Amino acid sequence: MTTDARLAARLAQQAGELLRELRSTSADLGPKELGKRGDSLSNELLLRRLAQERPGDAVLTEESADSSARLQADRVWIIDPLDGTREFGLGERPDWAVHVALWEAGKGITAAAVAQPDLGRVYASDEIVAQSPRVGRTRILVSDTRPPAFAAAVAGAVDAELVPMGSAGAKAMAVLRGEADAYLHAGGQYEWDSAAPVGVVLAAGLHACRIDGSALRYNSPDPYLPDLLICRPELAKPLLAALGEHAR
């Protein structure tokens, strides 16, 4: 049987291919309608394929009604069929992604994949990517629409520059590739926004936690998980110290 990580990677890739095809054949749709249709079609594909491949597992997805039954399940797939809906709808932006992760009781996220279709890349937790330290000033990625109010103060404390980008998955994978050193978010996310990116970066040896330094926990009764820090391991201590001072 296909491993969970390989299944996550394959499904993320298939959903990404569907989304690219949709965008290339939907020039008549406005950005919001294109994003809405992308969310729906990608969600349908992922739910259908998971029902075929892992029929006994529960699913938590951004695009379908939640069910408390997942809280009693031993295995829960946490998916974001289109992370960066706004960016996808704009057409010319590559900073959108597909997230597929598996949570297991007593273990946490055990398999994960993030597809960035416009880059032709799928990052999976069973394919560890070695990271090389960046040369130059530290770069911290933040949301291009809602960066944390304290981000500038944190950046100043560690002599870093802030770089805006869309999509949680796109930002996390940019850190994974070594194009940035950290990704900082606060002010609103859900489990599907971070589960797959966190699963991938942790498998690659990066650091991931909440901005108070506590662990990221998934398959909670309330899937709201509003803040996130992903960074190179050596930056975790200084960034968390700066967050402790400024993120109040």
Side-chain angles (χ1 to χ4, degrees), residues 23 87-88 91-97 115-119 166-167 170:
R23 196 171 59 179
E87 290 78 12
F88 172 79
E92 72 279 3
R93 292 185 59 163
D95 49 345
W96 56 278
Q116 284 196 265
D118 278 351
L119 302 185
S167 167

Side-chain angles (χ1 to χ4, degrees), residues 39-155:
D39 278 324
S40 178
L41 291 177
S42 181
N43 191 57
E44 290 173 6
L45 181 149
L46 291 171
L47 290 179
R48 182 174 67 252
R49 297 288 289 115
L50 284 170
Q52 294 168 345
E53 297 282 350
R54 299 291 192 270
D57 294 354
V59 180
L60 171 63
T61 169
E62 180 179 15
E63 300 304 322
S64 297
D66 192 10
S67 169
S68 61
R70 66 178 171 81
L71 301 176
Q72 282 72 52
D74 290 329
R75 291 166 52 93
V76 181
W77 292 88
I78 303 175
I79 62 175
D80 190 342
L82 175 50
D83 180 60
T85 303
R86 181 179 68 91
E87 290 78 12
F88 172 79
L90 292 173
E92 72 279 3
R93 292 185 59 163
D95 49 345
W96 56 278
V98 177
H99 299 176
V100 180
L102 174 66
W103 172 93
E104 293 190 75
K107 299 178 182 179
I109 301 298
T110 58
V114 175
Q116 284 196 265
D118 278 351
L119 302 185
R121 302 290 297 272
V122 178
Y123 304 91
S125 57
D126 64 343
E127 295 180 342
I128 307 302
V129 181
Q131 296 304 301
S132 299
R134 289 186 63 257
V135 176
R137 193 179 184 194
T138 299
R139 305 178 82 210
I140 301 175
L141 299 174
V142 293
S143 169
D144 62 351
T145 57
R146 45 180 179 154
F150 51 79
V154 170

Side-chain angles (χ1 to χ4, degrees), residues 153-215:
V154 170
V158 297
D159 189 25
E161 62 177 318
L162 297 178
V163 180
M165 183 182 290
S167 167
K171 289 190 282 288
M173 295 307 100
V175 177
L176 185 72
R177 291 191 298 270
E179 296 168 4
D181 304 284
Y183 162 33
L184 175 62
H185 184 83
Q189 280 188 348
Y190 290 83
E191 291 187 11
W192 46 76
D193 290 304
S194 65
V198 164
V200 171
V201 300
L202 288 178
L206 298 181
H207 177 88
C209 66
R210 298 195 63 176
I211 63 172
D212 64 359
S214 62

